[in-house]
Amino acid sequence: MKPYQHKQLQRRRHLTSRWIGVAIAFYAFIAIGIAEAGLGVLLPSILSTYQLTPATVTLLFVSQISGYIVAAFSSSLVSSRLGLARMLLIAASALTTALLIYALSPYWSIMVIAGTLLGLGIGLIDAGINTYIVQDSRSANLIGSLHAFYGIGALLGPTVATTLLAVGINWRQVYLVLASVVSVLVIGLISVILCRYQPMIARVTTSDTTAVGSLRRSLHHPTVLLTGLLLLVYVGTEASVGNWAYTVQSVARETPKLIAGYSVSGYWMGLTIGRFGLSYYLKRLGAVRTISLSLSLLMIGLVAWWLLPNPWIGLPLIGFALAAIFPATIWLIPQRVPEPLVPAAVGFATSSASFGAAIVPTGVGWLANWAGLDIIPMLMLPPAIVMIGIHCWLVQHQQS
């Protein structure tokens, strides 16, 4: 074989090898999108089955918090010691187990306890995959597409759930379908480990410090803490709209169930479209300006959902406005913190964000139980204002 042919063969093998990891990452985000977003449409059925109120059903969100906390403080450490693929296998197995318990458990208390596994699985996958993509300079430009695949999963979740419920499928059987989707990720990760795919089984290390030291130092960095808080509030807002919109439309506003369900899909469609266009926005506007414009558009969308009864205006607009905020913020972390702290910073920020997916919808549920479901759209405005304030601080204090 001639030298140039040998080089071309090596290049093709390298590209193929690289895209194996990217494919796993994309499917992992589809899986967690489906697992999280499907709950919104199934929530009224769960309320009815266990005779719950909007306040008591939030125990399902609260139980996820412990899993998110463990993920926030352990993701970089576990990945360092076991390798990314093994950590993701643990996470995907925990997530699949949680969904199976949701589907099969006859007792509300057991379903609540299973939320811990769901929070741990989602938190570890989110942190591990974001770190994997951001750290590889060749793949960093895929951050928008990565989160767009989360949008695809989040779009499929309520769409599949609405359709299956409409044809008479029980909500528990819907969870069996969702569990089967996530189980494919488990099979893929086992294959990666058995084939010894180096980019995902290699231990993650930092150049100048241990994983424990890196995590400790990152937690003393104000930018890391505020980035985590920004993403916590962001994901809390995203999850609150996704989890409560169907209930608001179908129960409080008496929208037909099919229309209510597919309007939630419209919300996730807006988010997915926005994320597939993220690379264009980043090139034309830059990450900071993209986030600023997104937050402004978010305020408009939230006001529209609050004041206008038609969900087809506000919800897709909210989804589109939210699209760029999370991936663009993650993309900025390597520019805002010292290089040795990046893995721990990304892991902490993304896992803290998952914590928001539990705490904010829980607070919204308790307030709605007291004041009525109609108040939920208005409750989304204060978190948006908080995001604007944190974003302004991060821009002013961004290291040169």
Side-chain angles (χ1 to χ4, degrees):
M1 183 180 294
K2 296 181 179 180
Y4 78 90
Q5 291 177 324
H6 180 68
K7 289 182 180 179
Q8 286 182 333
L9 181 59
Q10 284 186 320
R11 188 179 297 112
R12 284 196 295 267
R13 287 176 177 173
H14 176 73
L15 290 174
T16 301
S17 175
R18 175 192 171 196
W19 280 101
I20 290 173
V22 172
I24 292 287
F26 285 173
Y27 189 83
F29 264 51
I30 290 176
I32 63 174
I34 287 177
E36 287 190 305
L39 176 61
V41 172
L42 301 177
L43 208 54
S45 300
I46 296 172
L47 283 164
S48 176
T49 299
Y50 294 110
Q51 298 181 337
L52 305 171
T53 68
T56 54
V57 79
T58 60
L59 288 174
L60 201 57
F61 303 130
V62 173
S63 67
Q64 298 171 16
I65 292 177
S66 58
Y68 291 138
I69 291 175
V70 172
F73 290 99
S74 67
S75 61
S76 62
L77 307 180
V78 175
S79 180
S80 173
R81 296 187 179 184
L82 299 181
L84 177 62
R86 289 181 176 83
M87 184 185 79
L88 293 179
L89 178 59
I90 293 171
S93 300
L95 181 55
T96 303
T97 301
L99 295 174
L100 287 173
I101 293 174
Y102 282 9
L104 301 174
S105 172
Y107 302 107
W108 168 241
S109 58
I110 296 177
M111 188 173 179
V112 169
I113 293 172
T116 300
L117 288 175
L118 187 138
L120 177 64
I122 292 175
L124 289 177
I125 290 172
D126 201 4
I129 293 298
N130 273 289
T131 303
Y132 174 72
I133 293 294
V134 170
Q135 275 198 295
D136 188 341
S137 60
R138 299 163 302 175
S139 301
N141 62 329
L142 297 174
I143 191 71
S145 297
L146 173 68
H147 288 270
F149 275 87
Y150 173 88
I152 291 175
L155 169 62
L156 290 174
T159 302
V160 170
T162 299
T163 304
L164 292 179
L165 290 176
V167 298
I169 300 296
N170 185 276
W171 68 269
R172 294 185 184 277
Q173 295 172 309
V174 175
Y175 265 121
L176 286 176
V177 173
L178 302 186
S180 67
V181 172
V182 179
S183 67
V184 175
L185 176 61
V186 175
I187 296 171
L189 288 166
I190 291 174
S191 301
V192 163
I193 294 171
L194 292 178
C195 294
R196 303 193 61 80
Y197 175 64
Q198 284 301 316
M200 298 192 80
I201 66 171
R203 292 175 23 160
V204 178
T205 58
T206 56
S207 57
D208 299 315
T209 185
T210 65
V212 175
S214 178
L215 176 61
R216 186 182 298 113
R217 287 177 57 199
S218 69
L219 294 178
H220 286 84
H221 202 294
T223 297
V224 174
L225 296 176
L226 282 173
T227 298
L229 180 59
L230 172 61
L231 295 183
L232 183 153
V233 178
Y234 163 81
V235 172
T237 303
E238 178 192 285
S240 295
V241 176
N243 286 329
W244 288 111
Y246 178 81
T247 305
V248 169
Q249 296 301 141
S250 64
V251 178
R253 296 182 175 178
E254 299 182 345
T255 305
K257 291 184 177 181
L258 270 179
I259 295 177
Y262 289 131
S263 68
V264 177
S265 297
Y267 163 69
W268 293 112
M269 175 66 79
L271 184 138
T272 303
I273 292 173
R275 285 185 172 170
F276 272 118
L278 180 62
S279 60
Y280 173 80
Y281 311 141
L282 292 178
K283 290 177 182 178
R284 294 295 298 269
L285 303 174
V288 170
R289 191 175 299 176
T290 296
I291 296 173
S292 299
L293 292 176
S294 296
L295 289 169
S296 301
L297 188 61
L298 175 61
M299 293 296 295
I300 297 172
L302 290 172
V303 171
W305 185 38
W306 174 30
L307 299 179
L308 301 177
N310 189 337
W312 293 109
I313 299 174
L315 288 177
L317 185 59
I318 294 169
F320 185 80
L322 288 170
I325 298 173
F326 191 108
T329 301
I330 293 294
W331 189 82
L332 283 169
I333 287 178
Q335 303 174 39
R336 288 175 166 170
V337 302
E339 183 179 353
L341 301 184
V342 170
V346 173
F348 174 77
T350 53
S351 296
S352 299
S354 298
F355 179 73
I359 193 171
V360 178
T362 298
V364 168
W366 279 91
L367 290 172
N369 188 64
W370 169 69
L373 292 168
D374 273 331
I375 199 176
I376 289 179
M378 186 181 69
L379 292 176
M380 296 295 96
L381 291 170
I385 294 171
V386 170
M387 282 190 281
I388 291 172
I390 298 174
H391 172 63
C392 290
W393 188 94
L394 288 171
V395 171
Q396 291 175 358
H397 294 81
Q398 183 168 340
Q399 69 175 18
S400 57

